[in-house]
Amino acid sequence: MATELHEAIFIAKQERHKNLFLNYRNLNNFPVELLRDEGLQFLERLYMKRNLLTTLPDNLAQKLPNLIELYLHSNNIIIIPQAIGNLARLQSLDLSNNALQFLCPEIGRLRSLRHLRLSNNQLKCLPPEIGDLQELETLDVSMNQLTSLPHRLHRCVSLQNLTADHNLLSHVPRQLCWLHRLNQLSMAANRLTFLPLDLGRSRELQFAFVDNNVDLKGLPSYLYNKVIGCSGCGVSGQVLQGELGEVLGGALGEALVGLPAEVKVVGTETDNVVPLEELALRTLHRMCHYRPTDVIILPPISLPKSLLDLLRFPLGHCHRCSQAMFTTIYPKLFPLRDTALAGVHRRTTVSFVAYCCSSHCLRTFDLQG
């Protein structure tokens, strides 16, 4: 086996191969032959799947500076060195089926990275710096122990496919709704109780899979015309607690379990007056985002960071008229079993929820209109 390995690397050096396959070699350590002298400066793709590696060398980027794709699927890698960030040309990194418990912040320096696969590890969190990967198109973090996703993930403006199945996620950051190129979102088998109001608002998002989140009973109505997976959802008996739960009760109270803390008022068809705080926030939002460039407001507005964040990322937008909403919502329930999708989704008790900005929009909203 050692002789075959030396021969494969020797030939790759002599013939200046761009691809090197070292899969299924029972390697415990990274081959020193790859790192001797000038290394393999011309190598672009390195395949080392199904070995026994536990780490990577610190000088990997120095010896293999032109790597574009690195496949390390099914090893025993526990830690990735900080020097991984020096692989400036790397576009695809596969670390699936390893033993990673920590991902170093330097991963955010891989500015050319387009595909990152981290499934089936032992990760409990992701570094915020992952949001610096503006070329990232595919992110797979399924089968880990994640309890949350980085809020800065919305900065991955090229992201098209996000897979986070089989984790411990209790919520989806609403900032993800600003990923306007996201085409597929999969968060099956987590602990989700609530989905962002704007999920599905982007026309680009066509596939959303949230199967087997047993406490999830409400889907934003934006998802009605998408390809969705929701089998095994809504099978628990959890209900909305507190004053809102007492007021709403029934199926609507169940669908709103996990409602964001920013929501202070849940309106109904008979509530014809929007609360003053909500009106003030809508006015501030228009001033901050739609103010004509030739209009100068003096003195400049100074607001707390928490309020600025809310103005930048509203709770959602009215499912009928697209008005931004901040502390007040007017929800309307459409049980899936009563829609045209009933025959497709039989193992679920979820409902679509239209989140509106006023009693007028609530009364006039039509799910199939």
Side-chain angles (χ1 to χ4, degrees):
M1 181 71 73
T3 302
E4 293 178 5
L5 175 66
H6 295 316
E7 183 178 350
I9 296 176
F10 176 78
I11 294 175
K13 282 188 174 184
Q14 290 295 109
E15 300 182 2
R16 303 177 68 84
H17 289 180
K18 291 186 176 182
N19 304 322
L20 180 58
F21 296 87
L22 300 178
N23 303 321
Y24 301 94
R25 301 275 183 165
N26 291 320
L27 298 174
N28 292 289
N29 299 295
F30 203 87
V32 294
E33 293 84 357
L34 289 175
L35 307 173
R36 286 177 180 163
D37 303 323
E38 75 282 0
L40 277 73
Q41 302 284 319
F42 40 83
L43 193 67
E44 294 183 354
R45 296 172 186 84
L46 177 58
Y47 299 82
M48 298 188 71
K49 297 180 180 180
R50 298 193 178 277
N51 284 288
L52 303 171
L53 301 177
T54 58
T55 188
L56 298 176
D58 288 328
N59 60 345
L60 182 64
Q62 178 184 352
K63 298 300 183 179
L64 307 176
N66 291 307
L67 270 187
I68 295 177
E69 299 176 7
L70 179 57
Y71 298 97
L72 298 164
H73 185 286
S74 300
N75 279 275
N76 295 322
I77 297 174
I78 300 173
I79 190 169
I80 297 296
Q82 297 178 357
I84 191 75
N86 296 327
L87 289 168
R89 297 191 61 202
L90 196 65
Q91 295 181 17
S92 184
L93 176 60
D94 189 348
L95 289 163
S96 303
N97 288 29
N98 278 281
L100 288 173
Q101 298 183 18
F102 173 78
L103 195 62
C104 62
E106 285 71 20
I107 199 80
R109 292 167 50 199
L110 298 173
R111 301 303 172 87
S112 299
L113 198 64
R114 296 173 59 188
H115 307 285
L116 178 58
R117 295 178 174 87
L118 300 166
S119 64
N120 201 13
N121 279 278
Q122 300 170 29
L123 295 170
K124 295 183 178 180
C125 64
L126 298 175
E129 288 78 7
I130 208 165
D132 296 332
L133 303 176
Q134 296 194 7
E135 299 299 320
L136 193 66
E137 298 176 3
T138 303
L139 176 61
D140 186 352
V141 293
S142 55
M143 291 183 286
N144 279 280
Q145 301 169 27
L146 300 175
T147 57
S148 64
L149 295 175
H151 284 203
R152 283 169 55 180
L153 197 58
H154 74 275
R155 297 184 183 180
C156 298
V157 294
S158 300
L159 196 61
Q160 299 175 19
N161 192 323
L162 174 58
T163 305
D165 301 334
H166 294 276
N167 278 281
L168 305 173
L169 300 171
S170 60
H171 72 284
V172 181
R174 66 173 177 267
Q175 289 86 345
L176 292 189
C177 299
W178 272 257
L179 289 170
H180 296 302
R181 295 187 183 179
L182 190 65
N183 177 258
Q184 179 170 312
L185 175 67
S186 188
M187 291 191 168
N190 277 279
R191 297 178 178 178
L192 300 178
T193 59
F194 191 82
L195 295 177
L197 280 62
D198 275 351
L199 189 63
R201 183 170 184 249
S202 168
R203 292 183 180 179
E204 198 64 33
L205 184 66
Q206 292 297 316
F207 305 89
F209 304 106
V210 292
D211 306 78
N212 297 316
N213 283 279
V214 297
D215 292 324
L216 182 64
K217 299 190 176 185
L219 306 178
S221 67
Y222 285 128
L223 293 177
Y224 179 69
N225 291 316
K226 314 288 184 175
V227 177
I228 59 173
C230 57
S231 62
C233 289
V235 297
S236 79
Q238 189 173 359
V239 297
L240 186 65
Q241 300 297 318
E243 184 178 344
L244 283 179
E246 295 177 5
V247 172
L248 297 173
L252 184 56
E254 293 180 356
L256 297 183
V257 167
L259 198 64
E262 292 92 342
V263 176
K264 298 181 180 179
V265 177
V266 177
T268 66
E269 289 189 13
T270 60
D271 297 329
N272 294 318
V273 179
V274 177
L276 183 59
E277 181 181 7
E278 177 70 16
L279 291 175
L281 287 169
R282 293 179 187 180
T283 301
L284 278 174
H285 182 260
R286 285 192 293 271
M287 291 171 62
C288 292
H289 291 80
Y290 305 108
R291 188 178 68 210
T293 56
D294 58 341
V295 174
I296 301 176
I297 298 179
L298 294 174
I301 299 175
S302 179
L303 299 173
K305 183 181 183 301
S306 59
L307 184 53
L308 288 172
D309 289 342
L310 182 58
L311 289 173
R312 184 181 179 191
F313 299 108
L315 282 177
H317 294 77
C318 178
H319 291 200
R320 185 182 184 280
C321 73
S322 294
Q323 166 69 54
M325 299 179 292
F326 301 91
T327 63
T328 302
I329 60 172
Y330 295 77
K332 189 172 186 178
L333 202 68
F334 298 88
L336 188 149
R337 64 176 180 272
D338 297 336
T339 71
L341 300 179
V344 179
H345 304 280
R346 297 178 179 177
R347 290 186 56 245
T348 184
T349 58
V350 300
S351 298
F352 290 102
V353 184
Y355 298 97
C356 300
C357 67
S358 66
S359 58
H360 171 74
C361 284
L362 179 64
R363 287 191 296 268
T364 56
F365 180 87
D366 182 5
L367 182 65
Q368 303 178 63

